[in-house]
């Protein structure tokens, strides 16, 4: 297993400055007809997407991670990430049943930030069930080497299933951002046109934009 100290030390090494991503989320959040409050991420990894969505102004954030290691990492470091400083609170205690009043107040503050253990293929439907407003989706669940997780069938990408689930949601005007598209194309054989055609099945009026940031 991993102790809180081990997770925090490793996180310091990998936790690069993603301020530009927070600004990008804020830009897209304000592009639609309505300012979006809901942010759904697939592939939590070390939790930077959740942190940057919070910084961008989203108030209801949910993220899923298939790897138990990275899910636990995110749980243990998320308060520090969201507060924006090194917390004096014990990392283990603060995310379970804290007696420290300050820890309780911090958890209340972030009660609308949900971290889910499980693949996007398994958990995405649950994560968006009951949401009755547009969502910004950040689809980033993919194998990226080392000890990251593969799709449920171990060979394909979760992206088609994720888009199926989004298509079945009653709202058809979500913002859908697909990260690391070079991974999809190189390892899974998707082309840009393949994905565009798939998204147009959700809503034929979708407008596409490509970013290399």
């Amino acid at each position: 297993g991993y102790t809180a100290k081990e997770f925090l030390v490793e996180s310091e090494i990998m936790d690069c400055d993603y301020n530009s991503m927070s600004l990008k989320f804020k830009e897209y959040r304000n592009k639609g007809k309505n300012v979006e409050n809901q942010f759904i991420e697939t592939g939590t990894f070390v939790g930077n997407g959740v942190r940057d969505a919070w910084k961008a102004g989203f108030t209801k954030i949910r993220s899923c991670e298939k790897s138990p290691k990275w899910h636990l990492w995110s749980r243990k470091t998320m308060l520090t990430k969201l507060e924006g400083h090194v917390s004096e609170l014990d990392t283990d205690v603060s995310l379970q049943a804290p007696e420290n009043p300050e820890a309780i107040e911090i958890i209340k503050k972030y009660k609308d930030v949900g971290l889910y253990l499980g693949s996007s293929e398994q958990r995405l439907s649950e994560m968006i069930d009951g949401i009755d407003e547009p969502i910004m989706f950040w689809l980033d669940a993919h194998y990226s080497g080392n000890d990251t997780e593969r799709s449920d069938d171990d060979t394909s990408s979760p992206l088609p299933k994720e888009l199926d689930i989004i298509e079945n949601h009653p709202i058809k005007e979500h913002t859908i951002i697909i990260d690391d598209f070079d991974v999809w194309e190189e390892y899974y054989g998707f082309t840009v046109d393949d994905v565009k055609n798939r998204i147009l099945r959700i809503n034929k009026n979708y407008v596409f934009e490509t970013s290399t940031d």
Side-chain angles (χ1 to χ4, degrees):
Y2 290 80
T3 67
K5 183 177 180 181
E6 286 171 334
F7 274 103
L8 287 169
V9 169
E10 292 187 47
S11 184
E12 288 175 2
I13 296 172
M14 299 187 63
D15 193 12
C16 57
D17 179 12
Y18 272 47
N19 187 55
S20 61
M21 187 58 68
S22 178
L23 295 175
K24 180 64 67 175
F25 285 161
K26 182 178 292 187
E27 174 189 341
Y28 282 113
R29 178 174 180 253
N30 294 320
K31 272 189 175 182
K33 297 177 182 177
N34 303 302
V35 175
E36 293 161 325
N37 295 310
Q38 302 275 357
F39 181 92
I40 299 289
E41 175 187 46
T42 62
T44 311
F45 195 35
V46 296
N48 291 338
V50 173
R51 176 199 63 191
D52 294 334
W54 183 266
K55 288 172 62 178
F58 291 91
T59 56
K60 298 177 181 178
I61 301 169
R62 298 174 186 177
S63 179
C64 65
E65 172 57 53
K66 186 177 181 181
S67 165
K69 171 184 175 178
W70 298 120
H71 172 74
L72 181 58
W73 178 323
S74 295
R75 285 183 60 83
K76 287 180 178 294
T77 61
M78 192 52 68
L79 289 180
T80 297
K81 289 179 182 291
L82 295 178
E83 287 294 290
H85 58 79
V86 177
S87 174
E88 296 179 357
L89 304 171
D90 180 86
T91 316
D92 288 314
V93 174
S94 63
L95 284 172
Q96 296 174 17
E99 297 179 1
N100 184 325
E102 183 183 354
I104 294 173
E105 290 305 310
I106 289 176
I107 287 177
K108 286 181 180 178
K109 178 178 177 180
Y110 300 115
K111 62 183 175 60
D112 287 324
V113 177
L115 300 177
Y116 292 70
L117 174 61
S119 70
S120 57
E121 295 138 298
Q122 297 172 335
R123 303 305 299 267
L124 185 56
S125 292
E126 171 190 354
M127 291 164 64
I128 66 176
D129 183 50
I131 296 179
D132 59 359
E133 59 183 331
I135 301 165
M136 179 181 287
F137 286 95
W138 175 250
L139 304 182
D140 193 22
H142 59 82
Y143 177 70
S144 54
N146 297 322
D147 52 358
T148 57
E149 294 285 341
R150 298 180 183 272
S151 61
D152 283 350
D153 65 9
D154 196 42
T155 57
S156 65
S157 161
L159 183 60
K161 178 61 175 177
E162 292 172 348
L163 294 175
D164 286 344
I165 293 170
I166 295 171
E167 182 179 9
N168 289 330
H169 192 266
I171 293 176
K172 308 299 182 184
E173 296 180 342
H174 304 299
T175 299
I176 302 172
I177 307 176
I178 301 172
D179 192 31
D180 298 324
F181 195 83
D182 55 328
V183 173
W184 307 119
E185 193 161 11
E186 180 177 356
Y187 291 102
Y188 300 116
F190 301 154
T191 66
V192 172
D193 286 340
D194 290 336
V195 175
K196 283 184 177 180
N197 290 333
R198 181 63 193 81
I199 290 174
L200 289 172
R201 284 170 44 186
I202 301 172
N203 181 341
K204 65 180 181 179
N205 295 318
Y206 265 120
V207 175
F208 297 91
E209 179 177 325
T210 302
S211 173
T212 56
D213 294 346

